[in-house]
Amino acid sequence: MPEYQELNLDELGFLGRGKSRHRPRNDPTLYGGAYPFIQTGDVKAAELHIQEYSATYNEIGLAQSKLWDKGTLLITIAANIAETAVLDVKACFPDSVVGFVPDENRVNAYFVKYYIDFMKREMQSISQGTTQDNLSLEKLRLFKFKVPPKEIVDAITNVLLSYDNLIENNNRRIAILEEMAQSLYREWFVKFRFPGHQQAKVIDSPLGKIPEGWEVKRLGDLVNFKRKSVKKGALPEPTPYMGLEHFPRKSLSLSEWDEVTEVGSSKLIFKRGDILFGKIRPYFHKVGIAQTDGICSSDTFVLEPIEKKYHALVAMVTFSDDFVAHSVQTSQGTKMPRANWDVLADYPVVIPEDRLLTKLNMVVDPAIDQLRILSTKNRNLKQQRNLILPKLISGTLALSAD
């Protein structure tokens, strides 16, 4: 049996808070440069590595912050508590995020990440406050990590990383499929460079010139806006539930949900293939295609194309940057903006001749099916990883260094 040591994070490496000294923090003079600025939501959205971010600092921003190296483990201590991810780029972050640089003779960043995932509920429970949850650096230092010899640390890390590496590979394939489908949509339906466009005549429309034989319709005329719901209380059987926290940002693949047997408030019913659009803070770009039947938050628009032939087109329209930007511009509220379906229903959609619509479906429908397959694989991999993680971290499932 390997000998374990109880150590805190300061004994396992360097621990420090991010820096964002300037006030107000949202001063636009700080932003728009070459230095990634990672916020708590970016950490939460990451699976393992932070490769995407919602803001960048310029030289002014960098001067009042600190640039951390690639490989640093980020730990959120406010807003989203005890979320973790490893930097894949050099980046800055605010003091609501802690950076951990491991002593490589004792641990690695991934082992500490997995250990914090193991202790997440405990960390979140001591962070609850009267106004805003906050973990704080001092509280974080109180946690003890039972650490085996380095060779066992590396063996545990390699097992868990084998799952996450497969998940990341599937996510890359998902991103390629989504971009392929969106590129085709933009090329054919925005730029009008579809097969045979050189010979096409153009006509006037409310949107300007469009190909002859095409027409402009309201989005609301292409979908059923579904509001069927289940009431508060017990459910007849375990049911997939998707809150907005389960939606990834800017990905059609919805592979996360909880299985619930009761609900504390009214929820909307959706069917597999429905398009789900998160209406709260629409700038988060939470739009996806349901992988299963289930229920979702009432802060979701549930859209069902009125005809199967419109499914790919409606999915591409609602997932597009232009549509999301329109939903943001027309949203209501300041602190918690909400998209307005009455406005979005009037969004103009260009409808081609059935011949081209069929060609779109022949490309996009198989891509959507492949997204479903890859999403299901990722869901299964995460479940397997989450089953084995506590056993490996606690030492109840022993590994040798070989």
Side-chain angles (χ1 to χ4, degrees):
M1 184 73 180
E3 183 180 347
Y4 282 66
Q5 292 181 289
E6 281 200 355
L7 303 167
N8 60 35
L9 283 175
D10 282 325
E11 296 171 301
L12 293 173
F14 172 77
L15 188 70
R17 295 179 73 165
K19 292 182 180 179
S20 183
R21 294 188 292 265
H22 186 86
R23 297 295 182 274
R25 292 184 178 178
N26 62 349
D27 186 339
T29 63
L30 304 175
Y31 297 92
Y35 306 102
F37 178 60
I38 309 301
Q39 302 175 74
T40 58
D42 299 317
V43 180
K44 182 177 176 60
E47 291 280 358
L48 177 66
H49 294 110
I50 297 180
Q51 299 166 322
E52 298 182 358
Y53 35 88
S54 52
T56 59
Y57 270 156
N58 55 28
E59 296 293 341
I60 299 172
L62 177 63
Q64 54 86 55
S65 187
K66 174 183 175 178
L67 192 65
W68 294 71
D69 285 333
K70 178 179 178 179
T72 301
L73 174 66
L74 270 56
I75 310 163
T76 60
I77 60 173
N80 302 297
I81 302 295
E83 299 292 343
T84 57
V86 177
L87 276 181
D88 208 34
V89 293
K90 288 188 175 184
C92 302
F93 44 87
D95 57 9
S96 54
V97 179
V98 168
F100 174 75
V101 180
D103 175 354
E104 294 290 349
N105 293 317
R106 291 183 180 271
V107 292
N108 58 68
Y110 300 103
F111 177 82
V112 175
K113 173 196 161 39
Y114 291 129
Y115 209 117
I116 292 175
D117 289 346
F118 171 64
M119 294 194 298
K120 182 181 289 187
R121 288 188 180 179
E122 186 181 353
M123 288 185 170
Q124 291 173 339
S125 68
I126 71 163
S127 306
Q128 294 175 352
T130 55
T131 54
Q132 182 178 358
D133 292 351
N134 195 301
L135 181 56
S136 85
L137 204 58
E138 291 69 31
K139 290 178 182 177
L140 191 57
R141 288 190 170 109
L142 295 176
F143 286 93
K144 292 292 185 180
F145 293 69
K146 294 180 179 179
V147 181
K150 183 58 163 50
E151 59 269 21
I152 303 300
V153 165
D154 290 340
I156 291 171
T157 302
N158 289 337
V159 170
L160 295 172
L161 273 178
S162 66
Y163 289 95
D164 277 320
N165 287 336
L166 287 172
I167 291 168
E168 283 203 332
N169 185 55
N170 286 339
N171 283 336
R172 284 191 288 269
R173 295 172 64 189
I174 286 170
I176 290 170
L177 287 167
E178 290 172 342
E179 178 53 32
M180 177 204 70
Q182 271 290 291
S183 294
L184 184 69
Y185 163 73
R186 289 192 297 267
E187 193 74 5
W188 289 6
F189 295 87
V190 179
K191 300 177 182 177
F192 299 129
R193 293 201 291 253
F194 52 89
H197 71 276
Q198 299 91 339
Q199 292 78 39
K201 296 180 180 180
V202 295
I203 59 173
D204 291 324
S205 82
L207 291 180
K209 300 290 185 181
I210 64 172
E212 187 177 33
W214 294 35
E215 60 181 324
V216 178
K217 289 189 176 182
R218 298 168 62 252
L219 176 62
D221 294 331
L222 302 177
V223 300
N224 295 317
F225 180 60
K226 300 171 71 172
R227 301 299 295 169
K228 186 177 180 181
S229 63
V230 295
K231 303 301 181 185
K232 173 182 176 180
L235 300 171
E237 58 184 355
T239 303
Y241 166 70
M242 292 190 64
L244 291 185
E245 67 274 13
H246 295 109
F247 286 52
R249 294 186 188 181
K250 208 167 185 180
S251 177
L252 285 168
S253 301
L254 303 179
S255 59
E256 299 293 326
W257 59 79
D258 293 329
E259 295 281 341
V260 298
T261 55
E262 63 177 333
V263 291
S265 60
S266 178
K267 306 297 179 187
L268 296 177
I269 296 171
F270 64 81
K271 295 293 184 181
R272 173 175 164 173
D274 284 349
I275 296 157
L276 307 182
F277 187 101
K279 72 177 184 181
I280 288 186
R281 293 174 175 162
Y283 48 80
F284 283 147
H285 204 133
K286 294 190 171 186
V287 189
I289 299 172
Q291 309 292 326
T292 182
D293 295 354
I295 56 177
C296 62
S297 162
S298 58
D299 290 318
T300 307
F301 296 146
V302 181
L303 309 177
E304 177 192 40
I306 58 173
E307 293 185 53
K308 189 177 185 302
K309 67 179 182 179
Y310 292 132
H311 187 272
L313 179 60
V314 170
M316 293 300 100
V317 168
T318 53
F319 186 64
S320 70
D321 290 340
D322 287 344
F323 182 79
V324 172
H326 180 68
S327 72
V328 173
Q329 293 164 3
T330 58
S331 60
Q332 299 172 335
T334 52
K335 288 187 177 180
M336 193 80 71
R338 285 172 164 80
N340 184 337
W341 174 248
D342 290 338
V343 173
L344 296 184
D346 287 330
Y347 190 81
V349 180
V350 181
I351 308 297
E353 297 174 316
D354 281 352
R355 173 184 56 83
L356 190 62
L357 200 56
T358 299
K359 285 186 177 181
L360 177 72
N361 291 331
M362 288 173 62
V363 175
V364 175
D365 286 348
I368 290 173
D369 288 339
Q370 189 64 24
L371 293 179
R372 183 177 292 114
I373 292 169
L374 292 170
S375 296
T376 301
K377 286 182 178 179
N378 275 357
R379 180 174 175 81
N380 292 337
L381 285 167
K382 289 174 186 177
Q383 289 175 337
Q384 293 167 23
R385 179 202 62 199
N386 292 342
L387 282 173
I388 199 173
L389 187 151
K391 297 177 182 179
L392 289 173
I393 293 296
S394 65
T396 56
L397 179 60
L399 289 180
S400 68
D402 300 330

